[in-house]
Amino acid sequence: MVATAPPSRPPVATRRLLVIINRGSRSGGTAAGVAVSRLSGAGYDLVISAPHSPREVAPWIEAHADGAHAVVIAGGDGSLNAAAPALVKTGLPLGIIPAGTANDLARTLGLPEDMEAAADVIAAGHRRNIDLGDVNGHPFFNVASLGLSADLARQLTKETKRRFGRLGYAITALKVLTNARPFRAMIVSSDGAVRVKTLQIAVGNGRYYGGGMAVEHSAEIDDSHLDLYSLEIGRVWKLLAMAYDFRKGRHGLWQEVRASRDTAFEIRTRRPRPINADGELVTFTPARFNVLPRAVTVFVPETPSHDRN
């Protein structure tokens, strides 16, 4: 494909971008080159960081925020999650070069998969205010969950993601399902409290998670609500029958799946269980989930890309 020239933009008060590159992500090296060449060509002055740890991301953004135009993340959902606290604190807009394995936030926002086209979206400057989820003080863009997905996050290694890409999710998920056991929990919402025996409870802010599955087909990342589902099946093999509906976010149609929409949830378990947020283990139950309406501004296409499912 022949590359097109970056779109021209009128002069702005500042042209400095804070660019964070996750060189350990599956396409991090390619993303680094694209981000530097494409955005420099559009007239931006780039301040670049390639942190060794996600814990370095937010402090670096805050330390360099004065006079910056925006933050650009060249990485995956984990890198975006690491930047979320600083984005809320500084108010800087977020640009995304999708270079991870799943790129679920990019999918939710309708960003192009092509990295040059994604850089051009940033240069074009069209913005959208989106919600964040929050679990026990830890913000998330996509989904926070416990059960199967937390076990998956614990066992899915960087090497597996780098080597197999999205197939790595399926390989690791098969291992997790082999040893899956239901657990008991209490879900508290504005409708009251309910006790469940479940394999997984997921609370979604955006639409996509886990490499392109939808937490709820009608979910929007700026609807000021969270979408919860609890997977209350007796036999793991039944997940195979549900696979298509999970992909499309219509699993709530199954009687074994409890679905709810609210602005806040609380989940309690007998023993502390780990919570996975955007692919990272961040806290434990008991867990309080809240929505933070319009908490972050992101660069998006004026006409989003079609759903790639």
Side-chain angles (χ1 to χ4, degrees), residues 76-90:
D77 292 305
S79 300
L80 294 164
N81 181 277
L87 296 173
V88 173
K89 187 172 183 178
T90 64

Side-chain angles (χ1 to χ4, degrees), residues 89-159:
K89 187 172 183 178
T90 64
L92 289 173
L94 169 65
I96 302 170
I97 307 292
T101 304
N103 299 316
D104 287 306
L105 179 59
R107 182 185 297 270
T108 293
L109 296 173
L111 292 172
E113 290 182 293
D114 179 79
M115 293 185 190
E116 288 191 342
D120 291 346
V121 167
I122 298 168
H126 186 69
R127 303 181 185 187
R128 178 181 177 186
N129 295 323
I130 64 171
D131 305 335
L132 275 179
D134 179 276
V135 55
N136 289 353
H138 298 271
F140 62 92
F141 285 102
N142 302 321
V143 168
S145 55
L146 62 153
L148 292 176
S149 59
D151 295 337
L152 177 63
R154 189 161 44 199
Q155 296 187 36
L156 184 62
T157 65
K158 291 182 179 179
E159 177 57 33

